[in-house]
Amino acid sequence: MRKKYSKEHVLLLIFIYYYKGILSISDIRNESVDSLFDAILCLKSREECYIFFEDLCTVNELLSLSQRFEVAAMLKNHKTYLEIAEKTGASTATISRVNRSLNYGNDGYDMVFERMNQNTTGAFIHRSTSPFPFAL
C-alpha cells in the first residue's frame, strides 16, 4: 500500500525539489501551487508571514530559503564566495546555485530586489535608508 501524502506535504516537496534544481517552475505550474502563491500574496504584514510560514514550513526549510535570499543579495553586492560562505554558512554549491539563478534565471531576484529598494511612490530609496543592503 502506497503512503498517502497531504496536499501541504506535496507542495513542500515540490518547493524543495524546485530549489534544489530538480524541477523547473514549468514542471510545477498547477492549481495547488497557484493556491499556495495566492495564499502568500494575501498576507499583509511581516508578522502574518511569520505566522503562515511557521505553519507551512519547518524552521530549517525557512532558514534555507532565507539563506538563499541573503546569498543572492550578497552576490548582487559583489561579495566573494568566501565572504558569503563565512557570513551565511552557505555551501559553495548553494552559492553557485543562487549565482546561476541570478545570471541565467528568470530575473525573479532582481524583480524583488528592485521593489524592495523602492518606496511606495516608486522613487528609489537611497542606499543608506534602504531596508536591503545593496543598491541596484
Side-chain angles (χ1 to χ4, degrees), residues 106-116 136:
N106 295 314
D107 298 324
Y109 283 116
D110 289 334
M111 175 182 58
V112 170
F113 293 155
E114 185 176 313
R115 290 179 185 171
M116 290 180 77
L136 297 174

mmCIF file of all heavy atoms in Angstrom, residues 106-116 136:
data_model
loop_
_atom_site.group_PDB
_atom_site.id
_atom_site.type_symbol
_atom_site.label_atom_id
_atom_site.label_comp_id
_atom_site.label_asym_id
_atom_site.label_seq_id
_atom_site.Cartn_x
_atom_site.Cartn_y
_atom_site.Cartn_z
ATOM 1 N N ASN A 106 15.141 33.582 -14.221
ATOM 2 C CA ASN A 106 14.028 34.377 -14.746
ATOM 3 C C ASN A 106 14.014 35.803 -14.216
ATOM 4 O O ASN A 106 13.001 36.487 -14.319
ATOM 5 C CB ASN A 106 12.700 33.696 -14.412
ATOM 6 C CG ASN A 106 12.565 32.373 -15.113
ATOM 7 O OD1 ASN A 106 12.835 32.277 -16.301
ATOM 8 N ND2 ASN A 106 12.157 31.347 -14.375
ATOM 9 N N ASP A 107 15.088 36.252 -13.604
ATOM 10 C CA ASP A 107 15.212 37.600 -13.040
ATOM 11 C C ASP A 107 14.270 37.849 -11.865
ATOM 12 O O ASP A 107 13.940 38.986 -11.549
ATOM 13 C CB ASP A 107 15.013 38.683 -14.116
ATOM 14 C CG ASP A 107 16.066 38.615 -15.215
ATOM 15 O OD1 ASP A 107 17.234 38.299 -14.886
ATOM 16 O OD2 ASP A 107 15.737 38.864 -16.384
ATOM 17 N N GLY A 108 13.863 36.783 -11.201
ATOM 18 C CA GLY A 108 12.988 36.926 -10.045
ATOM 19 C C GLY A 108 13.649 37.650 -8.887
ATOM 20 O O GLY A 108 13.027 38.502 -8.239
ATOM 21 N N TYR A 109 14.907 37.314 -8.615
ATOM 22 C CA TYR A 109 15.628 38.020 -7.554
ATOM 23 C C TYR A 109 15.708 39.507 -7.874
ATOM 24 O O TYR A 109 15.428 40.345 -7.026
ATOM 25 C CB TYR A 109 17.047 37.472 -7.384
ATOM 26 C CG TYR A 109 17.166 36.160 -6.645
ATOM 27 C CD1 TYR A 109 17.639 35.025 -7.290
ATOM 28 C CD2 TYR A 109 16.845 36.056 -5.290
ATOM 29 C CE1 TYR A 109 17.788 33.822 -6.611
ATOM 30 C CE2 TYR A 109 16.992 34.865 -4.608
ATOM 31 C CZ TYR A 109 17.457 33.748 -5.273
ATOM 32 O OH TYR A 109 17.597 32.566 -4.600
ATOM 33 N N ASP A 110 16.097 39.833 -9.112
ATOM 34 C CA ASP A 110 16.228 41.242 -9.500
ATOM 35 C C ASP A 110 14.911 41.989 -9.353
ATOM 36 O O ASP A 110 14.880 43.127 -8.896
ATOM 37 C CB ASP A 110 16.740 41.365 -10.938
ATOM 38 C CG ASP A 110 18.194 40.955 -11.077
ATOM 39 O OD1 ASP A 110 18.938 41.046 -10.071
ATOM 40 O OD2 ASP A 110 18.582 40.547 -12.178
ATOM 41 N N MET A 111 13.814 41.344 -9.735
ATOM 42 C CA MET A 111 12.498 41.959 -9.621
ATOM 43 C C MET A 111 12.197 42.298 -8.158
ATOM 44 O O MET A 111 11.772 43.415 -7.840
ATOM 45 C CB MET A 111 11.435 41.008 -10.171
ATOM 46 C CG MET A 111 10.006 41.477 -10.008
ATOM 47 S SD MET A 111 8.802 40.279 -10.631
ATOM 48 C CE MET A 111 9.174 38.826 -9.665
ATOM 49 N N VAL A 112 12.465 41.356 -7.268
ATOM 50 C CA VAL A 112 12.186 41.572 -5.848
ATOM 51 C C VAL A 112 13.131 42.606 -5.254
ATOM 52 O O VAL A 112 12.709 43.496 -4.511
ATOM 53 C CB VAL A 112 12.251 40.235 -5.078
ATOM 54 C CG1 VAL A 112 12.212 40.456 -3.579
ATOM 55 C CG2 VAL A 112 11.118 39.328 -5.512
ATOM 56 N N PHE A 113 14.422 42.513 -5.590
ATOM 57 C CA PHE A 113 15.384 43.476 -5.059
ATOM 58 C C PHE A 113 15.018 44.894 -5.478
ATOM 59 O O PHE A 113 15.086 45.827 -4.678
ATOM 60 C CB PHE A 113 16.800 43.153 -5.527
ATOM 61 C CG PHE A 113 17.359 41.867 -4.974
ATOM 62 C CD1 PHE A 113 18.356 41.201 -5.671
ATOM 63 C CD2 PHE A 113 16.915 41.328 -3.783
ATOM 64 C CE1 PHE A 113 18.894 40.023 -5.173
ATOM 65 C CE2 PHE A 113 17.439 40.155 -3.281
ATOM 66 C CZ PHE A 113 18.439 39.503 -3.979
ATOM 67 N N GLU A 114 14.629 45.049 -6.728
ATOM 68 C CA GLU A 114 14.251 46.375 -7.217
ATOM 69 C C GLU A 114 13.049 46.913 -6.450
ATOM 70 O O GLU A 114 13.018 48.073 -6.051
ATOM 71 C CB GLU A 114 13.941 46.301 -8.710
ATOM 72 C CG GLU A 114 13.656 47.649 -9.328
ATOM 73 C CD GLU A 114 13.449 47.547 -10.830
ATOM 74 O OE1 GLU A 114 14.263 46.888 -11.502
ATOM 75 O OE2 GLU A 114 12.455 48.117 -11.316
ATOM 76 N N ARG A 115 12.065 46.075 -6.233
ATOM 77 C CA ARG A 115 10.866 46.507 -5.496
ATOM 78 C C ARG A 115 11.182 46.819 -4.036
ATOM 79 O O ARG A 115 10.594 47.725 -3.456
ATOM 80 C CB ARG A 115 9.772 45.451 -5.599
ATOM 81 C CG ARG A 115 9.203 45.387 -6.989
ATOM 82 C CD ARG A 115 8.138 44.353 -7.125
ATOM 83 N NE ARG A 115 7.723 44.264 -8.518
ATOM 84 C CZ ARG A 115 6.931 43.321 -8.982
ATOM 85 N NH1 ARG A 115 6.454 42.391 -8.169
ATOM 86 N NH2 ARG A 115 6.608 43.298 -10.254
ATOM 87 N N MET A 116 12.110 46.078 -3.454
ATOM 88 C CA MET A 116 12.480 46.334 -2.064
ATOM 89 C C MET A 116 13.222 47.653 -1.923
ATOM 90 O O MET A 116 13.233 48.239 -0.845
ATOM 91 C CB MET A 116 13.323 45.184 -1.515
ATOM 92 C CG MET A 116 12.543 43.909 -1.319
ATOM 93 S SD MET A 116 13.548 42.573 -0.667
ATOM 94 C CE MET A 116 13.644 43.082 1.052
ATOM 95 N N LEU A 136 20.842 48.944 -6.553
ATOM 96 C CA LEU A 136 20.792 48.459 -7.934
ATOM 97 C C LEU A 136 21.281 49.520 -8.880
ATOM 98 O O LEU A 136 21.218 50.668 -8.659
ATOM 99 C CB LEU A 136 19.355 48.053 -8.287
ATOM 100 C CG LEU A 136 18.805 46.908 -7.470
ATOM 101 C CD1 LEU A 136 17.349 46.678 -7.785
ATOM 102 C CD2 LEU A 136 19.586 45.643 -7.744
#
